[in-house]
Amino acid sequence: VMFLCYMFSFGVELIVNGNIVTYFVETFDMPQTRASTFGAVFGLLNIVMRSLGGYWSDIYNTKFGITGRLHALFQQTFVMGVMLIVFSTLNPDNSNDGTLLLVLMIWGAFTNACEGACFAVVPYVIPTAVGGVAGITGAGGNMGALLGNALILAFPSKPARNLMFCALGWGAVASSMLVPCLWLPGIGSMFRKATPVESAQELEPAKEVPKMPSQMPGPQPTFISAPQMMGQPGSISYGQPQQMTMTSY
């Protein structure tokens, strides 16, 4: 679930940063300077909105508990997907520069906020393997970028590009619908909290360290003590001074 949410947020951001200017030039017949200015708005939102996405999650955590972070992630991912679908329907016939910029800013804001909300949830997914969960989540961004760029190269026409943005938007909406299924050990999900018995079982401490052989039941090995060994022929005596003969020349 975290992989998919990050794939349709950070992965889509990478796609947009690399192709949005060309998209504006070809679809809206914008001059290069205006298209570059509009495209920069999407990237500049990342300065504040990713942190605000995490802060939004912190506020929900304070008010509703840890499961509030799931609600924040769901809301941000869902709105992000809806706005991407709306953006894919815009063209010069049904929108002007103001409408395009407004939709782009709302979409970009929730895209970047979703990235912060994803990593606000990561530490609770598997508390004993936070690094692994973070790595898998981060890999979703790379996968999303590869998938999107592959679609752009495979379908370079204008209608196909609009359809690609629409498909990515529906993918984001679908990933948001999986957030309620995400179970946090010892905490629960969006609509169901873990019972005390489930919490105790999921947060069970690590097993005891294996006992030493001498502490295990059953026959025990016997060891010969050092004094007994020193009395045997051919054995080396330890702990006793050895007499050494020195010869002068």
Side-chain angles (χ1 to χ4, degrees):
V1 175
M2 301 303 301
F3 180 91
L4 292 175
C5 288
Y6 204 64
M7 182 174 75
F8 289 106
S9 56
F10 185 64
V12 170
E13 180 189 350
L14 295 178
I15 298 169
V16 171
N17 289 338
N19 299 279
I20 193 67
V21 176
T22 304
Y23 179 79
F24 286 149
V25 171
E26 295 181 353
T27 304
F28 293 89
D29 297 323
M30 285 186 181
Q32 186 73 26
T33 53
R34 184 186 298 177
S36 300
T37 302
F38 276 41
V41 170
F42 190 93
L44 290 173
L45 287 169
N46 196 31
I47 297 176
V48 294
M49 289 311 302
R50 180 178 288 205
S51 299
L52 286 179
Y55 182 64
W56 182 343
S57 181
D58 291 340
I59 294 175
Y60 273 45
N61 180 36
T62 303
K63 291 185 176 182
F64 309 111
I66 297 176
T67 55
R69 295 188 183 275
L70 296 177
H71 287 271
L73 178 61
F74 170 80
Q75 294 171 5
Q76 295 170 16
T77 307
F78 181 80
V79 176
M80 173 188 68
V82 171
M83 295 310 299
L84 179 50
I85 295 172
V86 173
F87 178 82
S88 69
T89 63
L90 299 181
N91 56 62
D93 297 329
N94 61 12
S95 63
N96 53 31
D97 289 353
T99 303
L100 178 64
L101 185 60
L102 177 62
V103 173
L104 179 68
M105 290 181 65
I106 298 175
W107 168 38
F110 277 91
T111 298
N112 290 289
C114 181
E115 298 165 13
C118 281
F119 279 93
V121 176
V122 162
Y124 303 97
V125 177
I126 304 180
T128 57
V130 177
V133 176
I136 294 173
T137 302
N142 298 334
M143 180 60 69
L146 289 173
L147 177 62
N149 285 308
L151 291 174
I152 290 175
L153 293 175
F155 307 101
S157 64
K158 293 181 183 180
R161 190 164 295 183
N162 290 345
L163 182 61
M164 181 208 68
F165 278 113
C166 184
L168 291 174
W170 281 109
V173 172
S175 66
S176 71
M177 296 303 171
L178 295 177
V179 174
C181 302
L182 185 61
W183 182 266
L184 304 181
I187 300 169
S189 62
M190 281 182 58
F191 304 111
R192 179 175 176 269
K193 293 185 178 181
T195 62
V197 175
E198 291 173 334
S199 300
Q201 292 176 348
E202 292 171 347
L203 301 179
E204 183 180 0
K207 296 181 180 180
E208 297 182 0
V209 178
K211 297 180 179 180
M212 297 296 293
S214 59
Q215 300 175 345
M216 297 177 65
Q220 301 296 323
T222 57
F223 301 94
I224 302 175
S225 60
Q228 294 178 1
M229 292 181 62
M230 288 189 294
Q232 297 177 358
S235 62
I236 300 177
S237 299
Y238 297 96
Q240 295 183 359
Q242 304 292 325
Q243 295 182 357
M244 300 180 63
T245 304
M246 299 182 62
T247 304
S248 59
Y249 298 93

